Amino acid sequence: MKAAVIREPGSIHLEEIGLPAVGEGEALIKVRYCGICGSDLHVLHGQHPTATFPVVPGHEFVGELVEAKGVGADAFAPGDLVVAQPFFSCGNCEPCAQGHDNVCQHLCFMGAHCNGAFAEYVKVLTRKMYKIPKDMDLRLAALTEPVAVAVHDVRRSGLQVGETALVIGGGPIGMLIAMVARHTGARKVVISEINPFRREFAEKLGFETVNPLDADFDRQMMGLTDGKGFHVSYEVSGSKPGITAAVQYTAIGGMVMVVGMTREPYPVDLSTMFSRELRMQGVRIHSQYSFIGAVELLKSGALNEEFLSLVSKVYPLDEVEQAFAFSEIPGDYFKVLVEM
C-alpha cells in the first residue's frame, strides 16, 4: 500500500509498504481522509518526546471497514464507514482501570509510536471503533478526533452552564474548544489570538476576541468580566505568555486548563494560584468516553456547520509531502486534510 513514511526527523516521503497485519481484537480500515495535526509536525521534526522512527504519521481519520476480528466485531460489517480512537491502550493498568485510557502506562499512539493513517490502510482496536452515518460528510467525520480533544478538555474543566470561558490560542483545537464550551452552556467565550485571520474567523462565528499584543490588553480583559476574571481558562497556545495570562485572568476559585504542548518548562505564578485558590488541570489526548461524546455530537449535527468551516484545504495522498510543507507555513487556514 502507499503510505507517507518518516524515516528520520525532517523527512517525509510517499512509499510502498506492507499492509498492517490484523490480529484478534483488531480491525483494518481503508482510509478515506486524514487530517494534519500539530503533533504530526512535531513528530516530523523530531520534537515529539517519545516518537519512534520509521513511522507513518496521522491520527485524525475516517475510513471504510475492511475486516474486524474478536470481541465486538459482529457489530460491524465490511463497508461500514468508521472512525476510531487513535491509540492502543492495554486496558489492564491502573489508569485504564480508572477510565483514563488516554494516560495508559503502555500507551501506543498512532502516528508516533506505531503507524498511523497517512496511508491507504490503517489498523485500529475493534473496541475503539465506531460507525458513522453513511450520509455524513467524510471531511467532517475526519474531525472526530480533534473534536474529541475539545469534548475531553471541556468535560475535564468542569465548565458549568452560565459560566465564562477564556480560550488562549485560536488555532483548530482552540476554536473547537470554544465551540464546544459555548454549546455546553457558557454564557461568554472569549478567544485570545494574535493572528488577525483567526480573530476575524472567530468573530464571524459569534465569539468575542482580544489581541494579547494590544497596549490596552489588560484593560480589555478586565472589562470583559467586570474585573472578576473567567471561570475557566483554556491555555492552548503552549507559550509562556499564554500560561501567564491564563493564571492572571482566571477568577477566584476558577480552573486553568493546560492544553497546549510546551517544549520547555514554563514558570507559573504560584502566589496568584494560592491567593485565588485556583485549580490547574493538565489534559492529554482524550478518554474513550470523550471520543464517544464526539461521535455522538457529530451525529447530532448540532455544530457540524461550524466544525466543517475549519476544513481549509484538501490534498490527494500523492501530494502528501506538499500538504505537510503547506501546513508548516503560518497562513490563513485551519485544518488541512489528505484524501486517499
Side-chain angles (χ1 to χ4, degrees), residues 7 39 44 70 91-92 97 99 102 135 151 155 159 167-168 171-172 182 224 228 233 262 270-272 276 280 282 303:
R7 295 203 170 273
S39 61
L44 174 60
N92 296 318
N102 54 313
D135 60 350
V151 169
R155 283 178 171 177
L159 180 70
V167 179
I168 300 173
R182 183 166 64 183
L224 286 166
K228 297 176 183 177
S233 294
T262 62
L270 294 181
S271 174
T272 300
R276 295 187 192 168
M280 182 173 283
L303 295 175

Side-chain angles (χ1 to χ4, degrees), residues 68-109:
K69 296 181 179 180
V71 177
D74 56 359
F76 299 90
D80 284 343
L81 295 177
V82 294
V83 292
Q85 192 184 26
F87 56 81
F88 295 79
S89 51
C90 72
N92 296 318
C93 66
E94 192 168 311
C96 281
Q98 293 174 331
H100 304 306
D101 57 316
N102 54 313
V103 286
C104 169
Q105 292 177 323
H106 309 285
L107 188 74
C108 179
F109 191 71

Side-chain angles (χ1 to χ4, degrees), residues 7 232 279 313:
R7 295 203 170 273
V232 179
R279 293 162 291 147
K313 197 171 181 64

Side-chain angles (χ1 to χ4, degrees), residues 133 135-137 140-141 143 147 179 294-311:
D135 60 350
M136 181 180 287
D137 188 320
L140 178 66
L143 300 179
V147 171
M179 294 172 187
V295 172
E296 294 303 322
L297 181 55
L298 286 163
K299 286 165 65 176
S300 77
L303 295 175
N304 286 2
E305 185 174 345
E306 292 180 28
F307 290 159
L308 194 56
S309 68
L310 291 174
V311 176

Side-chain angles (χ1 to χ4, degrees), residues 27 41 60 72 84 110 135 145 165 178 180 189 205 231 271 307 327:
L41 299 178
E60 302 178 357
M110 293 169 58
D135 60 350
E145 196 277 340
V180 172
V189 179
L205 291 177
H231 294 99
S271 174
F307 290 159
S327 299

